[in-house]
DNA sequence: ACTGTAACAGTCTAAATAGACTAAACGCGC
DNA sequence: GCGCGTTTAGTCTATTTAGACTGTTACAGT
């Protein structure tokens, strides 16, 4: 029972992967997991199979054939169609042109930062900043090693973007912590 | 048929709102819409009623009473319980401490930026940057007027955060556009 | 050679969500 | 004082999704 609307972020990821090479869902997932944690985190298997089936019905991919290794379940290999290629470009263009208001968990939490009290807020924010820094360092290393392995910059551009945002967030958190400490950001006495 | 897991961002928003005052779901939604577009965009009515029912079963809120204005449908007013207050702090703390890898639509699109070609990429990115700037300007204005109306900084802190990230994104896009133009970012010839 | 664990590939189902639907009451124009 | 669009408030259902389940094969240790 595949879906109708097909406006979810997985669609773009699937089309993008298939642009590079024909593949079966399980392999796509493995590929996504390997490339980027953020991609993979947002996808579960059930959803992926369902989405691929729907994309197939939409005519953006076609079954290229069945494969079988030993007596494992058969793998259905999909390839991008011309319509799929067009759709990919259309979506890409649209999603880049139109910024959406994203609602992240952190944004939701920051809204009620007050409820932690000044000390609790400083403590929690400090830990986040520290974790962010660790993660950023690890990501920078991965990026550097990808580069020195000869990966064209275009292929790692999304890592650059993610890093840029992470750095901005870290800097912001630092400044808030500072403002709480110096009294530039105070708790209203209610 | 309320849910079990209750790990979705609406929960925090509901608890946060009820910390300020008891309320009924419809009012919460109106409040959220008014305060912030990003909050509201992520919530539909069905989901909200469902979530509030589940939160109620979890014991984090309690029915305070029924209200009725004229012959309109009865409104069920919920108030935060002590357990709810604790849960709010727990979630707040957790969601601030642990940064998650967020997977935004733009991040997904940037990954396949290559498929647009250099010219297409520059065009799309340019439009995004322009829209971001417009939005940022509008948000800055709202923030300024809230401040001059005497709102404590703590109450508008999430707007500051959103602005900070939006600026960082804009700057990054500008730099990428520049790099494409100057040839610092080239398309591999495949 | 034999057992346990991890990887492979996919299906299935219960829970969660988006968005249509209901239905009364307000208010604005004329 | 009469239609007509909006706002108020909530319910209901058809999609969607997360995550458990199935069964197979590779592989490591003993």
């Amino acid at each position: 029972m595949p879906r109708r609307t097909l406006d979810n972020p997985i669609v773009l990821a699937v089309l993008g992967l298939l642009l590079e090479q024909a593949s079966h869902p399980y392999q796509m997932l493995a590929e996504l997991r390997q490339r980027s944690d953020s991609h993979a985190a947002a996808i579960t298997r059930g959803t992926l199979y369902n989405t691929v089936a729907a994309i197939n019905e939409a005519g953006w991919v076609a079954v290229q054939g069945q494969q079988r290794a030993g007596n494992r379940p058969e793998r259905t290999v999909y390839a991008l169609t011309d319509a799929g290629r067009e759709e990919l470009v259309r979506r890409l263009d649209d999603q880049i042109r139109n910024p959406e208001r994203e609602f992240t968990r952190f944004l939701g939490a920051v809204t009620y930062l007050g409820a932690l009290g000044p000390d609790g807020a400083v403590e929690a924010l400090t830990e986040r900043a520290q974790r962010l820094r660790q993660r950023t360092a690890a990501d920078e290393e991965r990026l550097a090693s990808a580069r020195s392995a000869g990966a064209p910059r275009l292929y790692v551009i999304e890592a650059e973007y993610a890093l840029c945002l992470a750095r901005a967030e870290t800097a912001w958190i630092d400044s808030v912590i500072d403002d709480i400490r110096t009294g530039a950001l105070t708790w209203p006495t209610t």
Side-chain angles (χ1 to χ4, degrees), chain A:
Chain A
M1 233 159 306
R3 94 203 46 209
R4 306 280 144 84
T5 59
L6 278 170
D7 75 334
N8 95 12
I10 305 179
V11 174
L12 190 63
V14 168
L15 296 178
L17 276 180
L18 292 181
L19 183 64
E20 298 169 22
Q21 56 165 319
S23 182
H24 57 100
Y26 192 91
Q27 191 176 36
M28 295 178 208
L29 197 60
E31 193 73 28
L32 288 171
R33 281 209 206 302
Q34 197 203 327
R35 292 196 193 184
S36 143
D37 297 333
S38 17
H39 271 237
I43 302 183
T44 57
R45 249 215 302 282
T47 306
L48 179 61
Y49 279 91
N50 190 2
T51 303
V52 170
I55 291 176
N56 184 31
E57 281 187 17
W60 299 332
V61 299
V63 174
Q64 204 188 41
Q66 313 281 126
Q67 285 182 355
R68 177 179 284 264
N71 201 14
R72 293 265 176 78
E74 246 184 3
R75 308 186 288 208
T76 304
V77 178
Y78 296 89
L80 204 59
T81 63
D82 288 341
R85 209 173 318 260
E86 280 168 33
E87 181 66 17
L88 171 62
V89 171
R90 191 162 34 240
R91 281 177 184 245
L92 221 42
D93 192 71
D94 177 70
Q95 292 183 23
I96 289 177
R97 285 186 133 84
N98 305 116
E100 282 182 47
R101 302 226 178 236
E102 314 275 2
F103 179 64
T104 65
R105 276 190 140 76
F106 182 59
L107 180 60
V110 163
T111 307
Y112 300 106
L113 187 67
L116 288 184
D119 295 345
V122 165
E123 214 190 299
L125 287 170
T126 302
E127 180 165 346
R128 184 186 186 86
Q130 194 202 324
R131 293 191 182 209
L132 271 174
R133 267 185 247 277
Q134 275 170 19
R135 173 179 294 180
T136 305
D139 289 352
E140 275 166 350
E141 211 164 316
R142 289 216 317 201
L143 187 54
S145 76
R147 279 211 191 102
S148 68
R153 190 174 158 207
L154 189 61
Y155 289 179
V156 294
I157 191 91
E158 99 277 7
E160 283 185 20
Y161 170 71
L163 268 174
C164 170
L165 282 204
R167 287 198 202 99
E169 184 179 315
T170 309
W172 183 81
I173 293 173
D174 285 345
S175 81
V176 170
I177 293 173
D178 220 57
D179 286 351
I180 297 176
R181 288 227 174 93
T182 63
L185 174 54
T186 56
W187 259 244
T189 49
T190 29

